[in-house]
Amino acid sequence: MPGQNGKTVIVTGAASGIGFACVQGLLAAGHCVCGADLQPFPAERLHDPARFVEVRADIADESDCRRIAEHAVKTFGALNAMIHMAALHSTSTWRELTAEHFDRTLTVNVTGSFLMARAAAEQMTSGGAIVLTSSGSINIGGVGGRGRGGPAYVASKAAIIGLTRALARSLAPIGIRVNAISPGSTETPMTADYDDEMRRNVVARSLVGRMGRPEDIASVALFLISDAAGYMTGEIVNVNGGGGG
C-alpha cells in the first residue's frame, strides 16, 4: 500500500521505454503502480516489485480499460493518477497508408486515450490527475519511413491536444486535472530504427545536443501528477531539448 504521501498510479505502455521509466520513478518515490501493457513486463528489472501490479490489456478495448482501473483500486484501495504512454506507432508514408491502418492508429492512440482516461476518472473518487501523451512530431510534420512517425501517427498525436483540453474542462468539476506531455525524439523502441543520419539530424536540432532519454520524459510526467502541479490543467508540455520535434 502507498505510504502517507504516496499515490496509486496507473501507467500504460509500462513494459518498455518511457512507460517503464515512469514505473521506476514512481516506485522510487514511494508510490504504488498498476502497469498496463500488451507485452510482458520485465519484473526482474524493478527496484521495488512489492508495490507494483501488472495487467496485460489492450487500451483500445473499453472493457480492458475499465478492468485496468478497477484492478488498481482492488489491489491498492484507491486510484489517484494515471500516466497514459501506450500508443501504436505508424511509420507508413502518405502513399503507403491504407484506410484500415489509418483508422487503427486513430483507434488506439485517440479513442484509446479517451477510453483509458474515462475509465481512470470513474475510479478517482477523491479527485486526481491524468497525463496523456502527444508528440513533438506534430510540430515538424513527420512523413514516415525509417522509424519516423508518418501522417497517421502525427494526426493521432495532434488529436491528443484537443482531447486533453476537452477532458480538462470536463473533469475539472470533479477535481481531476488533465495535462499532456509532448516528447521530442527519445531513445525508445519507437526510435530504434533511426539510422545514423537521422540521429545526427535530431542531435543537431536539439539545443542540449542529444536525443531524449526515457527518464527525461518520465520526470516531467511525474511532476504533472504531483501536488506541485496542482495549478496546472489543460496544458501541453513540450519536452524536446529545444529541438521542436
Side-chain angles (χ1 to χ4, degrees):
M1 295 300 170
Q4 184 176 2
N5 298 314
K7 302 177 185 290
T8 294
V9 185
I10 290 171
V11 177
T12 69
S16 64
I18 300 169
F20 184 77
C22 288
V23 172
Q24 293 284 54
L26 288 164
L27 292 177
H31 304 300
C32 291
V33 181
C34 177
D37 207 303
L38 275 173
Q39 305 304 318
F41 193 87
E44 70 281 358
R45 294 176 56 196
L46 287 179
H47 297 316
D48 186 353
R51 286 180 283 107
F52 175 83
V53 62
E54 174 187 4
V55 181
R56 298 283 287 278
D58 178 359
I59 54 92
D61 184 285
E62 184 171 7
S63 61
D64 270 13
C65 291
R66 287 205 163 98
R67 180 167 59 87
I68 294 166
E70 290 168 358
H71 193 65
V73 174
K74 181 180 179 180
T75 304
F76 299 118
L79 179 61
N80 308 110
M82 181 189 72
I83 299 173
H84 183 60
M85 289 289 172
L88 176 65
H89 198 33
S90 170
T91 62
S92 297
T93 67
W94 69 278
R95 288 189 181 277
E96 296 167 339
L97 270 173
T98 64
E100 292 78 13
H101 181 69
F102 200 105
D103 287 346
R104 177 60 180 166
T105 304
L106 293 179
T107 296
V108 174
N109 294 355
V110 185
T111 307
S113 293
F114 169 72
L115 293 175
M116 197 62 241
R118 181 169 66 180
E122 289 173 343
Q123 297 294 330
M124 293 179 182
T125 57
S126 300
I130 291 171
V131 175
L132 302 181
T133 307
S134 182
S135 169
S137 64
I138 70 173
N139 299 320
I140 58 175
V143 298
R146 296 190 303 174
R148 296 177 297 187
Y153 181 76
V154 175
S156 72
K157 290 301 185 176
I160 297 301
I161 294 177
L163 178 62
T164 297
R165 290 173 176 157
L167 287 176
R169 187 172 292 274
S170 299
L171 299 180
I174 57 175
I176 297 174
R177 299 183 297 104
V178 185
N179 294 289
I181 193 165
S182 183
S185 294
T186 307
E187 295 280 7
T188 70
M190 279 192 179
T191 60
D193 290 337
Y194 280 18
D195 60 25
D196 290 342
E197 180 183 358
M198 292 171 64
R199 290 178 184 276
R200 284 194 297 270
N201 289 338
V202 169
V203 171
R205 288 198 308 268
S206 170
L207 299 183
V208 299
R210 63 174 175 84
M211 288 182 66
R213 305 183 187 99
E215 295 75 16
D216 295 325
I217 315 303
S219 63
V220 179
L222 267 59
F223 165 73
L224 289 173
I225 67 164
S226 74
D227 295 342
Y231 199 51
M232 292 181 66
T233 193
E235 295 298 325
I236 315 300
V237 181
N238 293 295
V239 189
N240 55 28

